Amino acid sequence: MTASPAARSARARALALEAGFDLAGIAGAEAPRELAFFQEWIARGRAGEMAYLTSQRDRRADLRVAFPWARSVVSVGLQYDTPGPYSTDADPAAGWIARYAWGDDYHEVVKARLEDLRARMVAELGPMESRVYVDTGPIVERAYAAAAGLGAWGKNTCLLHPEHGSWFFLGEVVTDLEMAPDTPLADMCGSCTACLEACPTGALDAPYALDATRCISYLTIEVKGAIPEEHRAAMGRHVFGCDICQDVCPWNRRRRQKGDPVFEPREGLMGPALDALAALDDAAFRERFRRSPVKRARRRGLLRNVCVAIGNAADPSLRPVLDRLAADEDPLVREHAAWALRRLEESAADRARPAEAP
């Protein structure tokens, strides 16, 4: 089918919306300007243990290294926000699982719609070489999504959209079709620094810059061994991911859109009880988090995080839970339970200490 680059772009965007996405835009395959900072970010050690980033520096710095035939990227966004509470407003005694993980695994949902989009593009725009990705492959998704106009870079390093805030998943179709690129959005943060001020671990140490090694999402998901002790107290009750820098963002406080029903909270995932999570054996963990992003943490990782959350909750009624975890078969769980028990004792001592006279 013969069509101009502009006509292909317009049709691809329309087909993306027909496939069930909320946002769609086109970027050229050449590396966006933001990727010039990617190599420096890696070199400074800010990726931590994320070997899938550090081992693919050249491929991620320019997708044409992996796909020399690529000419355009169709970037899409899928809203996932739900009416549930923000982490900053929720029950302080409960655990916190990041909002994106309350429902079905977004990898499966977005991938299926991307395959549908690719089929629609072939049917209408003709044969093409292509690949589809959602949070996989050698692509820095936010950079291409920003170039495609899906959102402006926020100071919390998330993309911000006027209608969708930052509550949307990203995916892309890399194609050899020549398409007219869209225009990036202008900065939306202005003088606001709410996210920088709210981050409890100091991971956002400068506007538009993230030290992943201090990020609660990284600590609870990407770190596979022991969580550095210097960060544990600041993690609060987070057991999988973190929403703080998004929850305080004014663009997310002005909700206008609701996500797909597949992302509605499953029972027990929105503000879960810490003792209930601590009681999960391997079989119960697999059943509870089947087709959920939380399964990525595995039982040992989740219970490690639960131990830290209980220690930070300073609730003496949960001591029996920690005593049981301190005898768990996994040494990683035992070590974090021991830390949490010490923290409970310190909290009890602080409460028993007489208040200083004014």
Side-chain angles (χ1 to χ4, degrees):
M1 177 181 293
T2 301
S4 69
R8 292 194 194 101
S9 293
R11 192 61 195 139
R13 287 193 297 270
L15 291 173
L17 298 181
E18 292 175 13
F21 292 105
D22 297 300
L23 297 168
I26 312 299
E30 62 276 6
R33 61 183 179 86
E34 290 85 2
L35 288 187
F37 303 102
F38 179 69
Q39 298 274 15
E40 176 190 353
W41 186 78
I42 293 290
R44 293 175 63 188
R46 293 201 159 201
E49 298 179 13
M50 294 184 283
Y52 59 89
L53 295 180
T54 58
S55 65
Q56 298 185 0
R57 292 172 62 171
D58 293 337
R59 288 163 62 89
R60 288 181 177 270
D62 187 340
L63 69 80
R64 292 173 300 179
V65 173
F67 312 120
W69 45 262
R71 303 182 75 177
S72 304
V73 177
V74 181
S75 187
V76 296
L78 184 61
Q79 168 71 234
Y80 67 85
D81 190 19
T82 68
Y86 296 106
S87 63
T88 49
D89 303 326
D91 181 0
W96 188 261
I97 291 175
R99 184 178 304 272
Y100 81 85
W102 289 356
D104 290 353
D105 191 337
Y106 69 95
H107 295 90
E108 299 176 15
V109 176
V110 177
K111 181 70 177 295
R113 297 189 189 190
L114 283 170
E115 293 291 2
D116 180 24
L117 170 58
R118 175 160 61 175
R120 291 170 185 260
M121 289 177 63
V122 170
E124 293 208 23
L125 301 178
M128 64 180 187
E129 182 80 18
S130 62
R131 299 287 189 278
V132 299
Y133 289 107
V134 51
D135 199 21
T136 56
I139 300 176
V140 181
E141 293 183 304
R142 278 175 292 177
Y144 284 93
L150 265 64
W153 285 98
K155 290 180 181 177
N156 62 1
T157 74
C158 295
L159 292 188
L160 299 175
H161 186 274
E163 294 295 324
H164 293 275
S166 60
W167 304 119
F168 54 95
F169 297 121
L170 298 175
E172 47 279 324
V173 179
V174 181
T175 175
D176 64 350
L177 294 179
E178 184 176 355
M179 298 184 181
D182 286 302
T183 303
L185 298 183
D187 178 75
M188 293 172 54
C189 290
S191 61
C192 179
T193 57
C195 58
L196 280 69
E197 296 164 5
C199 180
T201 57
L204 297 168
D205 52 6
Y208 313 103
L210 170 70
D211 181 354
T213 65
R214 302 178 66 89
C215 176
I216 293 175
S217 287
Y218 169 85
L219 295 169
T220 57
I221 302 173
E222 302 292 348
V223 172
K224 304 308 179 187
I227 297 171
E229 285 200 35
E230 65 266 28
H231 299 320
R232 295 181 190 179
M235 288 170 54
R237 59 200 171 86
H238 294 84
V239 298
F240 188 86
C242 180
D243 290 326
I244 292 174
C245 70
Q246 296 188 85
D247 285 342
V248 301
C249 177
W251 291 101
N252 284 331
R253 304 295 291 195
R254 300 164 56 191
R255 282 175 165 158
R256 297 184 181 88
Q257 305 289 341
K258 182 180 178 182
D260 192 285
V262 298
F263 302 128
E264 289 288 332
R266 295 182 180 186
E267 183 178 357
L269 293 194
M270 184 175 65
L274 292 171
D275 57 349
L277 293 179
L280 296 175
D281 58 18
D282 284 328
F285 174 85
R286 289 193 298 271
E287 176 59 28
R288 183 163 185 173
F289 298 112
R290 183 173 58 87
R291 298 188 65 189
S292 162
V294 180
K295 66 181 182 294
R296 181 181 175 193
R298 301 185 179 181
R299 175 185 178 270
R300 73 190 303 256
L302 183 68
L303 293 193
R304 173 201 65 182
N305 301 339
V306 168
C307 288
V308 174
I310 292 177
N312 290 331
D315 182 352
S317 71
L318 294 176
R319 185 183 181 98
V321 176
L322 287 178
D323 287 335
R324 186 175 70 252
L325 292 175
D328 192 86
E329 63 181 6
D330 193 303
L332 182 69
V333 176
R334 294 200 302 269
E335 188 273 315
H336 286 74
W339 176 87
L341 284 167
R342 292 194 299 271
R343 187 154 172 81
L344 279 187
E345 292 170 359
E346 292 169 358
S347 298
D350 288 342
R351 288 193 296 270
R353 188 176 295 114
E356 294 185 4

